[in-house]
Structure formats: structure tokens, C-alpha cells
Amino acid sequence: MDLELVSFKLCPFVQRAVIALKEKQTPYNITYIDLMEPPAWFKEISPLGQVPLLKVGEEVLFESAVISEYIDETSAGSLHPEDALQRAKHRGWIEFASSCLETIYTLNTTDCLTTFDEAVETMKGRLTKIEGILENGPFFNGEAFSLVDAAFAPLFMRLDLLQKLTGVETMEGLPKLNRWSEQLLQRESVQQSVVEEFPMIFQGMLKMKAGIAGSKLKD
Ligand SMILES: N[C@@H](CCC(=O)N[C@@H](CS)C(=O)NCC(=O)O)C(=O)O
């Protein structure tokens, strides 16, 4: 079945699906849209007006976690644990990653200093929680790359860029988390999950939003 992923270049949720596709070596096409001016066909087929969408022939899937599982289940091997209890726990942490992505959106865009400071604290608190449950790695599930890794990698990419571009620090004093992040950011599927000009687009977004994070840009 032909797969077409509908994407927005900055979207971390789409990135999860791209990582899953690359990890599973599943062929796909990608269509980029401008979420500021979404085309009529997109509004027609997207139940929530959100990306990612995965077009599977005539059918349309939405929600990054669902799309990633579909990609996983329809190709050889598995990025989910075999055991149902472990799988359920992984799904919980994938949800947790989504809440972290909402926090980083606030952190990147708010023009209210109080909201910004709260978002930094919320992010640090969530990352500290993850530090507490991480084992020895290199990945969330030990040696095997899983959908939890695909769910967190877009967050780490943004936190790393934010730190480099603005000096905003959220990962200090969390050695396991830093090691995990480094592993993920070096991984080919993760590096290839965004367009080449992603850092520039990300920086442009911070400038355009003109929030507290944007005001901290070094150049
Ligand atoms: N829960 C959704 C979240 C997707 C999401 O928030 N996508 C954003 C772009 S990163 C979007 O399409 N926003 C447009 C809108 O909400 O109008 C998922 O996991 O797929």
C-alpha cells in the first residue's frame, strides 16, 4: 500500500512518524504543507486540522502515536516490547513525551516571562522524572531502539537547539538523560527525520514568535 505522510517542517509529532518509517525502512512519500495557510484538501481530510496525517491508499490516519504503531505493525520486526505490560508502560511514556512537547512549544513561543519561567521549571521537572526511571541505555529499552525513543528524539533535538541558540538550559545535572539524548541525536534515522535546513527554520520560528526565548537568541 502506498504511504504518504502529510507534514509541516517544524512539527515534532510528524518527526516521530518519520523516525519510525526510517527505522523500519518503509518506503513513503512526504508532502509538506504550511500550517498557517493549510490547503483545502488538508482541511477536508484532517479530523483535527493537525499534522501528521498518514494516507494509506484511500484511508487517512491521524495522531502520531497511532501512526507510528501502524508503521511498526505493518513492517518486519517490532519497535514495541513483546510483553503487553511493558508495551503499555511504553505507551504511557510516549504520552508523557507528548506533554513535554506541549511544554516546549510554550517555552519557545510565550511572550510572558512568568509563563516562560514556569515552562522551564515544568520541563526540568518532567526531565528529572525521566532521569529517575532511565536505566543503562543506550536507549530507553536498553539495547533495542523503540517507539519511546522515536517519541522523545524530537524533544531532545529542540532542547539541544534551544540551548545552543539561546542558552536556555533544561537538562543540567541529568547524566542518564543527557547520554540518552546524545545517542538519539547521533542516530541516522533521527538526523534524517528533519529537513536539512531545520536549525535555520527553528531559529526563524523563535524570531518570528518574538517571545522570551526569541529575545535570548545569541545572533
Ligand atoms: N496529538 C497530536 C498532536 C499533533 C499536533 O499538535 N500537530 C500540530 C503541528 S506540530 C498541528 O498540526 N497544529 C495545527 C493546529 O492544531 O491547528 C499528535 O500526536 O499527532
Side-chain angles (χ1 to χ4, degrees), residues 13 16-17 20 63-73 147 150:
F13 297 96
R16 295 170 157 184
E63 286 297 328
S64 59
V66 172
I67 291 173
S68 299
E69 285 206 14
Y70 175 80
I71 292 162
D72 189 40
E73 286 174 10
L147 288 179

Side-chain angles (χ1 to χ4, degrees), residues 92-107:
W93 288 109
I94 289 169
E95 280 296 309
F96 187 86
S98 296
S99 74
C100 295
L101 287 174
E102 280 160 26
T103 303
I104 199 178
Y105 181 78
T106 305
L107 214 157

Side-chain angles (χ1 to χ4, degrees), residues 6-218:
V6 181
S7 173
F8 171 62
K9 287 181 185 167
L10 271 169
C11 179
F13 297 96
V14 175
Q15 204 182 336
R16 295 170 157 184
V18 177
I19 294 169
L21 284 160
K22 292 198 178 292
E23 287 288 335
K24 299 305 289 281
Q25 298 180 5
T26 302
Y28 67 100
N29 292 311
I30 191 158
T31 302
Y32 295 103
I33 62 162
D34 180 358
L35 272 180
M36 304 303 133
E37 288 181 52
W41 61 262
F42 171 73
K43 291 188 202 162
E44 254 166 55
I45 63 169
S46 174
L48 294 169
Q50 293 186 328
V51 291
L53 295 180
L54 185 69
K55 291 165 81 179
V56 184
E58 296 299 307
E59 302 285 348
V60 176
L61 298 180
F62 63 105
E63 286 297 328
S64 59
V66 172
I67 291 173
S68 299
E69 285 206 14
Y70 175 80
I71 292 162
D72 189 40
E73 286 174 10
T74 52
S75 52
S78 181
L79 299 176
H80 246 337
E82 221 172 280
D83 177 67
L85 184 63
Q86 289 305 320
R87 218 162 44 237
K89 287 170 79 174
H90 275 218
R91 288 189 179 115
W93 288 109
I94 289 169
E95 280 296 309
F96 187 86
S98 296
S99 74
C100 295
L101 287 174
E102 280 160 26
T103 303
I104 199 178
Y105 181 78
T106 305
L107 214 157
N108 286 339
T109 56
T110 185
D111 59 3
C112 167
L113 186 57
T114 309
T115 307
F116 176 82
D117 288 342
E118 282 170 3
V120 171
E121 286 315 305
T122 301
M123 184 61 77
K124 284 183 181 169
R126 293 202 169 133
L127 297 177
T128 303
K129 273 211 162 58
I130 306 166
E131 176 78 12
I133 58 120
L134 280 177
E135 292 182 5
N136 292 329
F139 300 114
F140 183 81
N141 200 28
E143 291 298 323
F145 186 95
S146 75
L147 288 179
V148 181
D149 297 289
F152 275 92
L155 174 73
F156 293 141
M157 191 177 275
R158 282 153 187 77
L159 289 176
D160 181 62
L161 264 176
L162 189 69
Q163 197 277 330
K164 286 181 176 134
L165 294 170
T166 68
V168 174
E169 185 59 72
T170 53
M171 292 179 56
E172 261 173 349
L174 304 173
K176 289 182 182 171
L177 191 94
N178 276 282
R179 271 201 300 277
W180 184 29
S181 168
E182 276 163 29
Q183 283 292 334
L184 292 182
L185 297 186
Q186 280 168 20
R187 186 131 175 130
E188 203 180 334
S189 65
V190 172
Q191 290 184 350
Q192 292 182 356
S193 62
V194 287
V195 290
E196 220 179 299
E197 65 275 22
F198 180 79
M200 209 183 72
I201 301 179
F202 182 83
Q203 183 170 10
M205 178 276 291
L206 291 179
K207 263 192 200 141
M208 195 263 287
K209 295 288 182 186
I212 307 296
S215 72
K216 293 178 186 288
L217 281 167
K218 290 174 185 164

